[in-house]
Amino acid sequence: MKTGAAILIESLKEEGVEIIFGYPGGAVLPIYDELYDAELTHILVRHEQAAVHAADGYARASGRVGVCLSTSGPGACNLISGIATANMDSVPIVALTGQVPTGMLGNDAFQESDITGITLPITKHNYLVKDARDIKMTVKAAFYIAGTGRNGPVLIDLPKDVLTAKVAAEEVLSGEPELRGYKPTLKGHSKQIKKALELIYNAKKPVIYAGGGVIAAGASEEMVRLAELFCLPVTTTLMGLGAIPAVHPLNLGMLGMHGTEYANYAVSESDLLIAIGARFDDRVTGKLSHFATHAKIIHIDIDPAEIGKNVNPDVPIVGDAKSVLADMICLAEKKGCISEPWLEQVKLWRKNHPLRVVNDGKVHPQNIIRKLSELLDGGGIIVSEVGQNQMWTAQHYGFKKPRQWISSGGLGTMGYGFPAAIGAWFAKPDETVVVIAGDGSFQMNIQELATVAQYKVPVKIVILNNMYLGMVRQWQELFYDRRYSYTELPSVDFVGIAKAYGIQGMRVDSVDQIDEALRTALDYDGPYLLDFQIERGENVYPMVPAGAAISEMIGKHNHNGGSDT
Amino acid sequence: MKQHIISVLVENKAGVLARVAGLFSRRGFNIESLAVGTCETPGMSRITIVVIGDDMHIEQVKKQLNKLIDVIKITDITEKEHVERELAMIKVHAEPGSQRSEVMQIAGIFRAKIIDVGAQTLVLEITGDSEKIFAMESLLRPYGVLELVRTGRVALQRGSSGSALRQ
Ligand SMILES: Cc1ncc(C[n+]2csc(CCOP(=O)(O)OP(=O)(O)O)c2C)c(N)n1
């Protein structure tokens, strides 16, 4: 006879789970009791939101399914932002939650919440397990659903009596879960693929627009090969950064609201847009009716619901990006550059409208990111918080590879970065993991300094401290007449706080300290916090105002000036 | 904006209806009618949803429905030849005497059944399309409709090209 909790742990191990991020409570005591001597690492975070973000960071860095665990009621509710974050960015996680005993379900019992009901719209799927015999099959199904097709979060709610119930080994349901309604299409339709190739052969101004789907599918290599085959310039979304090396001659960087001028010009002028694993998000397209108006559109996506959602493509291809792109390369008849003049034009834009940085002796965030990129040679795992810090990092870090850049794209969750960085390090302990944070975002999960200290997680914390909720302040400056309503943050002694947790840190006030400070942090054997006092009024430019066309950027000629728009 | 009749084959599991209905409400759709019941295959149910919306929105909803793990198959039968029925029970005020016989006459014309007789009331059962139910209801109104309940519309495609599983 085995308890439900024991079956759960066994099932997780069978799925190859090595690490769980969690926080205990009454409803999950049976699981914690099993964990006490299980050969499974459990990381005790200091807030359940950090557990789910860490599982998410682990998943993004490794490409595997991340796992988090919380108790019922308040614990489960603390997972919500993290589950929604993973859902928006299609990250495979399995969230395990405790629940009151089945006999009390629906009674408003102590620490009860209808977590399957609450998470219905933000999970790929969820389960309430009512019988211990179903645990193994449910876990199997959950991991399969989370990590196949369009990845996403799956939640399993486990009532306490199900966890304590004793079941004979032969009664445990096993085998392959029956999922009649779930059959992701992986292979692209060959007729559509041929049609897409025809469009490419005939294009004069083609652009690839690559999203996070390229990275999720492990299709970066194929994408770059296709681009090279026909000399197709590539722009990526925030989620797609790293799909093509920053220094690749065909790379145009990010497009959209804070995209590069040249990417936005190229997309606006293009006559063929090849969207791969990207969803035409409004932060990318700007005013939709003005987006790539001259372009025919090929849309490759594993999720049929993404196709035609915002933009009606000329050639829709449902399938796994890796498989579709491999087929495209295989079936390609013509080879070689299809349009030299277009490449020249794009190169000219890139030369004439670079992202600008100033070297005026002040501490500018762009320079910090560039220096970091230089010191790490474009390597490491770079995690960001949300806001200006996120955009500066996206613009200026020279990513080389997929799964190097971890950031909350779809939901834009402040407080995501720090715990996600912890999860990422557990996935890739040999990598240098850096979290780039705003002083606002960092304070949303600052308690995780305790986790970092306890487990000696050597993440490097880079705070770009402007004593503002910077990105919101930027909008207030530009669109609300500089009425800085509740966006000013008082100065915080971050180094002192770090020290209180037993973590080393340094405050940086002047430009000549930047290099030295970054080196110190990177060389230090352990976690390290850097508190950069950056120019307070610095803005992220260029910028497409909400609702404008992406070719209508502001702040093009003085990217660092702040208020000259 | 037009009416769509969507037939959804789902796993017969707890919470499936909430998942399906939730997708409509999230997008601000008003569900005109919704009927659920088990169907020809054990372990599955068929949901018939009538909803009003423009074609593009409905297309999105269908794709989103298809993403639900418990949804097995979706058929939009609006444009296909189909038969449609709804059942209603109407409790109408009918004093013994001429009033009652008038109500019984109306019932006869509509081929409705009288399924309960009270001291001052009759309960009628009627099946048909929405117009028929509506027509009978309006004829009964003057007598005093005390309670009315409808099952929601169910629909099936005609002929052999059913919406059943073909795998
Ligand atoms: C949980 C959450 N609350 C509010 C917001 C809205 N928001 C977006 S950016 C931002 C400011 C971020 O400030 P900070 O972390 O200091 O970073 P900065 O922009 O200064 O780099 C806010 C409040 C959000 N994205 N997430």
Side-chain angles (χ1 to χ4, degrees):
Chain A
M1 300 287 267
K2 276 183 217 150
T3 63
I7 298 169
L8 174 73
I9 299 296
E10 214 177 80
S11 313
L12 292 173
K13 279 206 227 151
E14 262 175 47
E15 293 303 321
V17 175
E18 286 164 1
I19 188 164
I20 299 176
F21 302 92
Y23 204 89
V28 284
L29 275 172
I31 302 177
Y32 274 86
D33 194 56
E34 284 295 328
L35 281 171
Y36 193 62
D37 39 30
E39 284 154 38
L40 240 179
T41 308
H42 173 277
I43 301 299
L44 177 69
V45 292
R46 297 303 187 272
H47 187 309
E48 287 89 353
Q49 196 190 107
V52 58
H53 289 328
D56 174 311
Y58 175 90
R60 294 195 209 212
S62 65
R64 302 174 60 189
V65 178
V67 183
C68 62
L69 167 62
S70 81
T71 193
S72 65
C77 286
N78 276 344
L79 298 179
I80 302 300
S81 301
I83 293 173
T85 302
N87 194 51
M88 286 288 267
D89 288 345
S90 309
V91 180
I93 59 170
V94 168
L96 306 165
T97 50
Q99 183 54 279
V100 300
T102 45
M104 291 197 221
L105 278 174
N107 272 349
D108 295 335
F110 178 64
Q111 295 200 327
E112 180 186 359
S113 65
D114 171 16
I115 199 66
T116 47
I118 293 171
T119 58
L120 215 59
I122 53 164
T123 46
K124 184 169 175 185
H125 195 54
N126 63 23
Y127 292 97
L128 168 63
V129 184
K130 287 203 182 133
D131 188 327
R133 288 173 295 189
D134 296 338
I135 290 177
K136 194 178 166 134
M137 283 283 265
T138 307
V139 168
K140 204 161 195 176
F143 275 79
Y144 179 64
I145 291 168
T148 54
R150 179 176 186 169
N151 290 178
V154 179
L155 181 139
I156 308 176
D157 200 23
L158 298 150
K160 190 165 183 181
D161 58 327
V162 171
L163 293 172
T164 51
K166 289 210 165 105
V167 182
E170 64 275 14
E171 277 187 60
V172 176
L173 296 180
S174 61
E176 288 309 309
E178 194 186 344
L179 294 164
R180 287 184 280 205
Y182 181 67
K183 297 202 170 55
T185 307
L186 299 181
K187 200 147 169 56
H189 200 287
S190 63
K191 223 166 88 190
Q192 294 299 88
I193 288 176
K194 285 194 189 117
K195 264 200 223 164
L197 282 168
E198 280 306 319
L199 285 188
I200 294 176
Y201 302 152
N202 294 315
K204 302 243 159 10
K205 299 171 174 183
V207 174
I208 289 180
Y209 149 46
V214 173
I215 290 170
S220 307
E221 231 173 89
E222 287 79 2
M223 198 250 324
V224 173
R225 244 193 295 151
L226 183 79
E228 287 172 348
L229 209 55
F230 300 111
C231 307
L232 309 167
V234 180
T235 177
T236 72
T237 65
L238 180 76
M239 295 297 295
L241 288 172
I244 178 167
V247 296
H248 195 288
L250 287 167
N251 182 30
L252 299 177
M254 185 168 76
L255 81 165
M257 182 172 275
H258 291 297
T260 63
E261 282 182 56
Y262 39 100
N264 286 346
Y265 292 146
V267 170
S268 299
E269 286 285 306
S270 67
D271 69 350
L272 176 66
L273 197 61
I274 307 157
I276 313 170
R279 61 197 177 89
F280 296 88
D281 180 79
D282 52 278
R283 284 291 189 265
V284 159
T285 62
K287 189 174 187 165
L288 199 54
S289 58
H290 287 54
F291 181 70
T293 39
H294 317 291
K296 290 218 155 77
I297 289 171
I298 299 168
H299 192 177
I300 302 167
D301 207 294
I302 193 150
D303 181 357
E306 282 307 330
I307 290 179
K309 188 176 88 177
N310 297 326
V311 165
N312 246 334
D314 298 271
V315 179
I317 305 177
V318 176
D320 174 68
K322 192 178 179 78
S323 148
V324 171
L325 291 175
D327 286 353
M328 280 177 92
I329 293 164
C330 220
L331 291 173
E333 281 154 13
K334 277 192 200 173
K335 304 255 150 93
C337 278
I338 52 166
S339 182
E340 295 283 358
W342 174 239
L343 271 189
E344 287 311 310
Q345 168 69 71
V346 169
K347 264 188 214 155
L348 203 67
W349 276 325
R350 192 157 60 180
K351 184 161 153 271
N352 293 341
H353 308 275
L355 284 170
R356 294 198 200 170
V357 284
V358 278
N359 293 303
D360 59 359
K362 294 183 183 153
V363 184
H364 293 291
Q366 297 88 339
N367 296 329
I368 298 169
I369 308 286
R370 289 192 170 213
K371 189 77 210 171
L372 179 69
S373 187
E374 188 191 309
L375 291 176
L376 285 175
D377 192 22
I381 293 180
I382 309 298
V383 188
S384 85
E385 285 290 351
V386 168
Q388 295 180 314
N389 61 85
Q390 180 180 33
M391 292 302 136
W392 285 320
T393 311
Q395 289 179 336
H396 296 280
Y397 198 87
F399 298 102
K400 277 182 169 164
K401 291 185 307 207
R403 300 201 180 280
Q404 236 198 305
W405 161 240
I406 295 178
S407 188
S408 169
L411 201 66
T413 314
M414 285 172 75
Y416 167 82
F418 183 32
I422 297 173
W425 181 78
F426 279 106
K428 293 278 159 86
D430 297 331
E431 295 274 1
T432 303
V433 179
V434 183
V435 53
I436 299 182
D439 49 323
S441 303
F442 187 63
Q443 291 182 79
M444 278 215 177
N445 271 316
I446 195 167
Q447 76 287 344
E448 296 310 313
L449 283 168
T451 310
V452 164
Q454 180 182 355
Y455 297 100
K456 304 191 170 49
V457 182
V459 289
K460 313 301 173 189
I461 301 158
V462 172
I463 301 176
L464 303 177
N465 190 348
N466 49 15
M467 290 190 276
Y468 275 122
L469 297 172
M471 187 57 99
V472 183
R473 189 209 56 82
Q474 175 168 345
W475 283 55
Q476 288 172 332
E477 176 189 322
L478 299 175
F479 312 116
Y480 291 87
D481 210 14
R482 302 178 194 214
R483 287 154 55 84
Y484 299 133
S485 179
Y486 303 102
T487 45
E488 198 164 356
L489 302 174
S491 158
V492 173
D493 177 10
F494 285 113
V495 175
I497 291 173
K499 201 184 255 169
Y501 281 104
I503 292 170
Q504 294 294 316
M506 188 196 297
R507 185 180 146 116
V508 185
D509 302 287
S510 70
V511 72
D512 46 304
Q513 291 174 291
I514 294 177
D515 182 281
E516 177 67 20
L518 286 170
R519 280 178 201 274
T520 307
L522 293 175
D523 289 344
Y524 186 77
D525 184 19
Y528 204 98
L529 180 146
L530 292 173
D531 180 10
F532 286 99
Q533 310 296 304
I534 61 166
E535 281 299 293
R536 283 197 83 195
E538 187 103 30
N539 284 343
V540 184
Y541 287 128
M543 175 184 195
V544 178
I550 59 168
S551 54
E552 294 166 8
M553 289 158 281
I554 56 173
K556 285 183 289 200
H557 301 297
N558 183 355
H559 296 250
N560 298 294
S563 52
D564 64 324
T565 48
Chain B
M1 302 280 268
K2 71 169 201 241
Q3 218 177 53
H4 286 254
I5 306 169
I6 299 166
S7 176
V8 190
L9 198 63
V10 299
E11 297 284 355
N12 189 0
K13 284 188 189 155
V16 176
L17 188 59
R19 287 176 204 277
V20 170
L23 268 183
F24 286 87
S25 61
R26 251 177 82 193
R27 290 181 159 67
F29 283 106
N30 239 335
I31 294 180
E32 288 273 303
S33 143
L34 187 152
V36 211
T38 51
C39 63
E40 71 282 357
T41 319
M44 292 187 196
S45 291
R46 182 170 277 115
I47 306 179
T48 308
I49 304 173
V50 183
V51 61
I52 293 177
D54 68 33
D55 289 357
M56 228 189 86
H57 284 130
I58 301 283
E59 191 58 37
Q60 239 317 289
V61 169
K62 283 190 286 182
K63 284 181 171 174
Q64 293 292 341
L65 279 176
N66 250 322
K67 283 173 72 166
L68 295 180
I69 308 292
D70 289 331
V71 166
I72 299 159
K73 191 173 165 63
I74 295 172
T75 325
D76 188 342
I77 54 183
T78 321
E79 302 291 334
K80 301 187 171 142
E81 269 208 66
H82 62 272
V83 283
E84 216 187 299
R85 285 291 179 274
E86 181 169 11
L87 183 146
M89 290 194 280
I90 306 175
K91 188 189 287 173
V92 62
H93 185 80
E95 300 278 352
S98 67
Q99 215 188 27
R100 181 164 287 193
S101 60
E102 277 174 38
V103 169
M104 287 168 72
Q105 255 178 4
I106 294 172
I109 295 164
F110 281 91
R111 287 184 226 282
K113 275 191 226 153
I114 293 163
I115 53 174
D116 184 59
V117 181
Q120 291 163 342
T121 57
L122 289 177
V123 177
L124 311 184
E125 175 200 306
I126 178 171
T127 29
D129 58 24
S130 309
E131 284 101 83
K132 182 174 165 189
I133 294 172
F134 181 73
M136 179 155 129
E137 187 200 334
S138 9
L139 279 179
L140 293 174
R141 278 263 169 236
Y143 298 91
V145 172
L146 302 172
E147 271 183 89
L148 187 150
V149 57
R150 296 164 72 148
T151 56
R153 287 151 69 178
V154 289
L156 270 187
Q157 240 178 289
R158 282 181 194 273
S160 55
S161 60
S163 60
L165 270 195
R166 267 169 288 149
Q167 290 187 329

